[in-house]
Amino acid sequence: MTHDHNLPTRSARQEALLLTGTVGVGKTATADLLGDLLADRGVPHAVIDLDRLCQAWPAPDGDPFQHRLLLANLRAVAGNYRAAGAQRLVLAGVAENTAERNAYQEALGMPLRVCRLTADLATVHTRLRTRHETDHDTASLPWHLRRAEELHLVLEAAGISDITVDTTDLTPAQAASAVLEATHWTDATTTDGHI
């Protein structure tokens, strides 16, 4: 089920969308497939997995999720994509509160909307078990199962999303289509830039 909270029917020339949600809800898969849909429609865009922008060890004291590094890298990467002609930036990651959302938007240098992907907890746990078995990473599964419920509650309380898409009964491709429909990014856009 998709909800659109008073969003304009036409996007600005350059706009970003953050796909947020708890672990295992399908953010990265949906972002990748949303990129495919935008390409099919001739929309210059880029897809950014925020986890990759802060994948460094060790994390500094007081910043266990490497948020400062993420923002510094996002600023540079987004600038490069904008300069290359991207009209849409699709981000997969987590914003736990308004301050984080605002920090992302500032780093991006363009308007940002937030789409929260949700799914019932049983479905999320099943997806996590499948993913960890496939990746042969059963050791970290208990942490991710606990984090899934914890982060769901954090995001529920934060209430910072503009769009919500329930992915419980959707394939990643169906979720991407639902997100695209909710953003109104299906309007015609110019394609004078190149990625």
Side-chain angles (χ1 to χ4, degrees), residues 33-105:
L33 290 165
L34 180 55
D36 291 344
L37 293 176
L38 291 171
D40 290 344
R41 288 158 177 76
V43 180
H45 72 281
V47 177
I48 304 171
D49 184 342
L50 296 182
D51 285 346
R52 295 297 184 183
L53 298 186
C54 58
Q55 193 171 3
W57 184 93
D61 291 340
D63 191 10
F65 293 110
Q66 295 274 28
H67 195 67
R68 289 189 295 272
L69 178 61
L70 188 160
L71 290 173
N73 286 337
L74 180 59
R75 185 172 290 107
V77 169
N80 290 337
Y81 281 137
R82 289 197 323 270
Q87 295 176 5
R88 304 287 184 253
L89 294 182
V90 179
L91 286 68
V94 174
E96 292 190 13
N97 50 53
T98 301
E100 288 187 3
R101 175 187 174 142
N102 292 343
Y104 287 147
Q105 180 165 290

Side-chain angles (χ1 to χ4, degrees), residues 18 20 95-98 100-101 114 155 157-162:
L18 171 65
T20 192
E96 292 190 13
N97 50 53
T98 301
E100 288 187 3
R101 175 187 174 142
V114 176
L155 296 174
I160 63 167
S161 58
D162 303 299

Side-chain angles (χ1 to χ4, degrees), residues 156-170:
E156 193 74 13
I160 63 167
S161 58
D162 303 299
I163 304 164
T164 302
V165 174
D166 185 344
T167 70
T168 301
D169 298 315
L170 301 181

